[in-house]
Amino acid sequence: MKKLLAIILAVAMLVSVALLPGCSGNKDSGNTADAGKKYVIYSDNAFAPFEFLDKKTDKYIGVDMDIMAAVAKDQGFEYEMHNEGFDASMGAVQSGQADAMIAGMTITDERKKTFDFSQAYFEDGQVLVAKPGSKVETFKDLKGKKVACKTSTVSGEYAESIKKKYGFEITYFEGSDTMYQAVVTGSADACIEDFSVIGWAIESENVKLKILTKPLNVKGYGFAVKKGSNSELLKKFDAGLKNIKKSGEYDEILKKYGY
């Protein structure tokens, strides 16, 4: 009877130790705080060719979508993507609803106050765009005109920085597609947009607009997390990006979308 009691007590002690917080039978668990975690990533929903809805499959595709998939595969982590729009993505990361965002987000000093960024995975600049045949040909022609920009973007920030100099008014849109439509229909005289994005729209989506300037204010796009959090995920993204560039997969992704 005493021997049986001793066995029961020994088993009970083993179980209680196993149930203590942080204890596990797997020696490797605990090496990283987010081991086995499925990350929540947010992105834009209308910023082709970086993210846009493929009408044939009803799924979001694009440069950012492919880079994210390649990095996750290289680093061996899982994630779920939410294409909710640029503003919504920033809000989700800042509130902790999302672990990170990848949405053609330009790395700026102002954004570094609230976000931590990966190494730049693409570089782009802004251009002035109008309808073919428009009287607007340069920034000097914008006096008294209405210029369309996308909300919360570097293109919008750039427009704000020069609007007094050139005397134009800014009207904002949530998506690039609605912004382009405003210029095409004449409710806006021109727009300021990232060169690669409007170039794709003109070439691949037959948007009837014309690029008027060379790219200005050229900066890098970055994968972003809330400042001071998810540093492990940021490290994984940088490591994966380095590996897919080395393997040539990165170049294949860009080539797929015409770069």
Side-chain angles (χ1 to χ4, degrees):
M1 185 68 178
K2 289 182 179 180
K3 186 175 182 180
L4 178 60
L5 181 60
I7 293 172
I8 292 171
L9 288 172
V11 171
M13 289 179 67
L14 287 171
V15 171
S16 64
V17 170
L19 291 176
L20 285 173
C23 293
S24 170
N26 185 346
K27 293 182 180 179
D28 292 331
S29 66
N31 288 343
T32 57
D34 56 354
K37 179 179 178 180
K38 187 174 185 179
Y39 296 104
V40 176
I41 312 294
Y42 268 56
S43 187
D44 206 339
N45 53 17
F47 196 60
F50 291 89
E51 41 270 331
F52 60 103
L53 186 64
D54 182 1
K55 295 178 181 178
K56 294 181 180 178
T57 63
D58 200 34
K59 293 181 180 180
Y60 283 95
I61 61 173
V63 175
D64 287 348
M65 302 297 96
D66 287 3
I67 287 177
M68 191 70 239
V71 165
K73 183 178 180 181
D74 179 82
Q75 293 294 297
F77 66 82
E78 294 186 0
Y79 68 97
E80 59 181 62
M81 183 66 72
H82 297 258
N83 293 84
E84 301 292 343
F86 193 79
D87 269 353
S89 296
M90 290 198 297
V93 173
Q94 289 174 317
S95 68
Q97 183 179 348
D99 295 300
M101 66 179 285
I102 182 167
M105 187 178 186
T106 304
I107 303 169
T108 67
D109 289 339
E110 185 63 28
R111 286 174 175 168
K112 285 180 180 179
K113 294 177 182 178
T114 50
F115 296 95
D116 288 330
F117 287 94
S118 67
Q119 295 295 314
Y121 64 85
F122 192 84
E123 286 193 344
D124 210 352
Q126 285 72 55
V127 290
L128 180 64
V129 180
K131 287 194 299 185
S134 170
K135 292 182 180 179
V136 174
E137 295 182 352
T138 69
F139 284 105
K140 293 180 180 180
D141 299 321
L142 293 177
K143 187 174 182 179
K145 305 294 185 181
K146 186 178 290 186
V147 175
C149 292
K150 191 175 176 181
T151 57
S152 303
T153 62
V154 169
S155 294
E157 292 174 7
Y158 181 69
E160 291 284 355
S161 73
I162 62 173
K163 70 177 183 179
K164 287 185 179 179
K165 179 179 180 180
Y166 294 109
F168 61 82
E169 175 188 349
I170 301 174
T171 181
Y172 285 98
F173 295 85
E174 288 295 324
S176 293
D177 50 353
T178 52
M179 178 177 70
Y180 302 154
Q181 188 63 20
V183 182
V184 170
T185 59
S187 59
D189 299 289
C191 70
I192 296 176
E193 176 66 300
D194 287 14
F195 173 69
S196 59
V197 178
I198 186 60
W200 170 274
I202 292 170
E203 293 294 327
S204 301
E205 299 176 358
N206 200 31
V207 173
K208 304 298 184 183
L209 294 175
K210 180 181 179 181
I211 297 172
L212 303 173
T213 63
K214 293 180 179 180
L216 306 166
N217 192 38
V218 176
K219 297 180 183 296
Y221 289 172
F223 177 78
V225 300
K226 184 178 180 180
K227 193 169 185 65
S229 67
N230 280 308
S231 59
E232 190 66 27
L233 176 57
L234 207 57
K235 290 177 183 177
K236 288 178 180 179
F237 185 89
D238 278 336
L241 180 63
K242 182 179 180 180
N243 288 344
I244 66 172
K245 282 186 174 181
K246 186 176 180 180
S247 70
E249 186 173 3
Y250 173 84
D251 290 333
E252 287 300 315
I253 290 172
L254 294 189
K255 185 178 179 181
K256 178 180 175 181
Y257 295 97
Y259 297 118

